[in-house]
Amino acid sequence: ASFMGVLEAFIYDTLKQMHQISRYNKVQGKVYAINDFMMGSCGLLGAFIAAAISKWFTFLISVFPLLIALGLCFGFKEPKHSKKIYGQRYFSHIKETLKFTWNHVQVKWIILFSAIAGTFTSTTFLMNSVYFEKSGISLQYIGILYAVMFALSALGASFYHLIEKKLGEKFGEKIMP
């Protein structure tokens, strides 16, 4: 998953080009599920390797999959866009975006909610392992905790499209202020 929505836009535009937008939630759920499953697996494996060998070694072996992923990114082909914005000047495009945001209350709430939730979850996620380790919890148990956390997240992502189909598209708005 991406932090800035680029992956989501890439998937949406690709499905749009293939005339399969109706599959977006299902495909996006699978992407999140695979991502969370891999993060949980890597957290579990990495914790055991770090405890058995060293954290530095864990970092070194994680570089190779990252290089492979970087190489795969160069193979992506961006879908064609129907609206040309390349002719616009950069700042006029930003101004247009700010006007749109200002005039749409729901977009403002989404931005505010995302900023608050993103800050909280990122900070919490980054500090969890430090806190647990300082509390005397072994790396192996931290890895198990992360694996369980990401497994539950992957499960939720896998079934999100079914939940949304049953509860309706607007159910997500109910959790926003």
Side-chain angles (χ1 to χ4, degrees), residues 69-133:
L70 180 64
L72 288 173
C73 287
F74 290 110
F76 291 160
K77 184 176 182 233
E78 188 167 350
K80 294 178 182 175
H81 298 280
S82 58
K83 181 180 177 186
K84 296 280 185 191
I85 60 167
Y86 306 111
Q88 289 184 351
R89 298 176 69 78
Y90 178 75
F91 288 108
S92 65
H93 182 64
I94 299 243
K95 184 179 174 184
E96 180 183 320
T97 303
L98 291 173
K99 279 183 187 178
F100 178 85
T101 303
W102 184 259
N103 293 325
H104 292 84
V105 176
Q106 189 177 17
V107 174
K108 285 190 269 190
W109 279 118
I110 290 170
I111 291 170
L112 179 64
F113 177 77
S114 297
I116 293 169
T119 300
F120 177 76
T121 55
S122 296
T123 304
T124 304
F125 180 75
L126 292 173
M127 298 309 292
N128 275 343
S129 61
V130 174
Y131 171 76
F132 291 141
E133 196 171 6

Side-chain angles (χ1 to χ4, degrees), residues 142-160:
I142 296 170
I144 292 169
L145 177 68
Y146 275 81
V148 168
M149 176 181 70
F150 281 114
L152 292 173
S153 180
L155 194 61
S158 296
F159 292 107
Y160 175 79

Side-chain angles (χ1 to χ4, degrees), residues 22 40 68 119 126 138 140 151 161:
S22 62
I68 292 169
T119 300
L126 292 173
S138 72
Q140 291 96 332
H161 69 284

